Amino acid sequence: MEPHSFKKVVIGLIFSMTLLPSSSSSSAPCNLPAIFNFGDSNSDTGGLSAAFGQTPAPNGETYFHAPAGRYCDGRLLIDFIAESFGLPYLSAYLDSVGSNFSHGANFATAGSTIRRQNTTIFQSGASPISLDVQLVQFSEFYTRSKIISKQGVFHKLLPKEDYFSKALYTFDIGQNDLTAGYKLNLTTEQVKAYVPDVLLQLSEAVKRVYDQGGRTFWIHNTGPVGCLPYVLDRFFTSATQLDKYGCGSPFNEVAQYFNQRLKDVVIQLRKQLPLAAITYVDVYSVKYTLVSQAKKLGFELPLIACCGHGGKYNFNNSLRCGGKITMKGKEILIAKSCGNPSVRVNWDGIHFTEAANKWIFQQITSGSFSDPPLPLKMACHLSKDGAMNKFR
């Protein structure tokens, strides 16, 4: 072997070793200096607000005491994840005012889907920032951060170069892909039929991040959409299609089908991306437990929106949380907060309250609902066999 060729091989091996997550036999917590998140409104910390206007009050009332770009009265799961690593809350990539990206960035926007939707946000509520667009934004952020940091301009507001390989990459997206089909009056079987294509695109997204150095992935499955007031109010569900807790069984069936196929995708990704530590997180089971056992867990009225107006579920799609009407030239807030969101599960018909999010986080952080069953702070460690055992 020529000397220069040998040198290239050595350099390549060293580079690979720096990106290789450690074995799960190690007991040391992960040093994850940054988080990069891809998702929808369940993890949007201001992306859609930056593009289309701030979320209205009373959003943010519990923790931020003002609207903070979140469709919630306070913090989201991604906020609690950041807190657990001692990191600041993630700034939305699209938010140019007051943002600090030194410890990561959030590419999620409310209404985002994995697949592009052939509609506009004004027609259906679907964000134009689908997952493929979020990946383009990440790639731009990755490339330009390195250039700008070397120029010494705003470098304190950007991640250090090695943070990209050491970071936690979180994915919480797919719920809107399922409801998109019902908006088009598709049947449950028709929605199921396009799930494999949706997940193929999610798989390709993970691979793209991996190609740019990402090694630690934390992937949430989708929640029980049939337990959301929004779904129960908007899409017809007969009494025989409701389970004993009042959730819509056909919609939950689709979510469970999506999740089963997502598990299969993760198995394949582990084989294809041998240097990656990929954790599958069963958020569905945790959320369904919260809804079905709400009273036992200290919550109440799990299928009734805290912030909303009218109807069986306190949800009106044309007058959502923070909605106002004009009477005699004066705006009047109609879709108000329930006053005590700390004991409520659902915030606005679509999203969970801060109290619910905190409870959900406390369940998933231990690893009890993850495969491999590692705590969040150990997510960078590769499982010994790389296989999914717990949920199969």
Side-chain angles (χ1 to χ4, degrees), residues 101-296:
F101 301 111
S102 60
H103 293 281
N106 193 351
F107 301 92
T109 66
S112 285
T113 51
I114 295 172
R115 295 202 306 180
R116 292 183 188 178
Q117 301 298 307
N118 188 27
T119 181
T120 70
I121 192 169
F122 305 105
Q123 294 170 305
S124 67
S127 168
I129 316 297
S130 49
L131 184 58
D132 60 327
V133 178
Q134 293 182 30
L135 265 292
V136 169
Q137 293 174 341
F138 169 71
S139 185
E140 280 291 297
F141 182 82
Y142 175 87
T143 302
R144 295 182 65 202
S145 290
K146 293 185 176 183
I147 295 171
I148 293 173
S149 292
K150 288 177 181 177
Q151 294 173 345
V153 181
F154 303 122
H155 63 281
K156 291 184 178 180
L157 297 177
L158 296 170
K160 295 178 181 178
E161 187 168 343
D162 64 339
Y163 281 13
F164 288 97
S165 62
K166 295 179 179 178
L168 177 68
Y169 290 86
T170 52
F171 286 79
D172 190 342
I173 191 168
Q175 178 175 305
N176 294 323
D177 289 271
L178 302 183
T179 56
Y182 289 108
K183 289 178 182 178
L184 296 173
N185 296 317
L186 299 185
T187 65
T188 292
E189 291 307 312
Q190 288 173 319
V191 173
K192 282 184 178 180
Y194 67 69
V195 165
D197 181 59
V198 171
L199 291 174
L200 175 62
Q201 294 190 37
L202 176 59
S203 176
E204 291 303 312
V206 173
K207 291 176 185 177
R208 285 177 62 182
V209 174
Y210 180 87
D211 288 342
Q212 292 192 280
R215 291 297 180 264
T216 303
F217 297 88
W218 182 263
I219 302 175
H220 290 185
N221 67 12
T222 199
V225 293
C227 299
L228 298 177
Y230 160 74
V231 170
L232 292 167
D233 176 81
R234 182 161 183 179
F235 307 117
F236 175 75
T237 310
S238 67
T240 58
Q241 292 176 313
L242 296 177
D243 67 17
K244 62 181 179 180
Y245 302 109
C247 299
S249 296
F251 310 112
N252 283 348
E253 178 187 326
V254 169
Q256 289 173 311
Y257 177 75
F258 176 96
N259 293 339
Q260 182 59 56
R261 296 300 296 261
L262 176 59
K263 294 180 206 174
D264 296 335
V265 165
V266 170
I267 290 172
Q268 292 305 312
L269 284 171
R270 285 188 178 136
K271 294 176 181 177
Q272 296 164 355
L273 313 177
L275 302 182
I278 308 175
T279 303
Y280 170 91
V281 187
D282 185 17
V283 173
Y284 180 101
S285 292
V286 179
K287 289 183 175 179
Y288 190 75
T289 296
L290 178 56
V291 170
S292 62
Q293 305 297 322
K295 188 173 182 180
K296 190 181 297 182

Side-chain angles (χ1 to χ4, degrees), residues 327-392:
M327 293 184 65
K328 298 180 179 180
K330 184 179 180 180
E331 280 193 330
I332 300 174
L333 177 65
I334 295 297
K336 302 177 182 180
S337 169
C338 60
N340 192 12
S342 65
V343 296
R344 300 293 286 274
V345 172
N346 193 283
W347 168 240
D348 58 3
I350 306 171
H351 311 99
F352 286 73
T353 60
E354 175 183 280
N357 285 328
K358 185 175 183 178
W359 184 88
I360 294 164
F361 171 75
Q362 289 169 341
Q363 311 314 303
I364 65 173
T365 189
S366 67
S368 299
F369 292 88
S370 300
D371 194 293
L374 296 174
L376 173 60
K377 290 191 175 182
M378 306 291 280
C380 66
H381 299 304
L382 283 169
S383 58
K384 290 180 180 179
D385 56 6
M388 288 181 102
N389 300 314
K390 182 176 179 184
F391 301 111
R392 296 186 70 77

Side-chain angles (χ1 to χ4, degrees), residues 7-69:
K7 185 178 181 181
K8 286 183 179 178
V9 171
V10 172
I11 291 173
L13 286 171
I14 293 172
F15 178 71
S16 294
M17 289 172 68
T18 61
L19 297 182
L20 180 64
S22 56
S23 167
S24 61
S25 61
S26 169
S27 59
C30 303
N31 175 24
L32 299 173
I35 300 172
F36 296 99
N37 181 66
F38 304 89
D40 52 31
S41 57
N42 288 313
S43 59
D44 181 3
T45 56
L48 196 75
S49 291
F52 293 98
Q54 184 59 261
T55 54
N59 284 292
E61 66 175 13
T62 297
Y63 185 80
F64 302 100
H65 307 298

Side-chain angles (χ1 to χ4, degrees), residues 77-99:
L77 277 178
I78 192 64
D79 294 315
F80 290 112
I81 290 173
E83 279 186 12
S84 72
F85 287 105
L87 300 177
Y89 300 135
L90 294 185
S91 292
Y93 171 79
L94 292 175
D95 194 350
S96 59
V97 180
S99 291

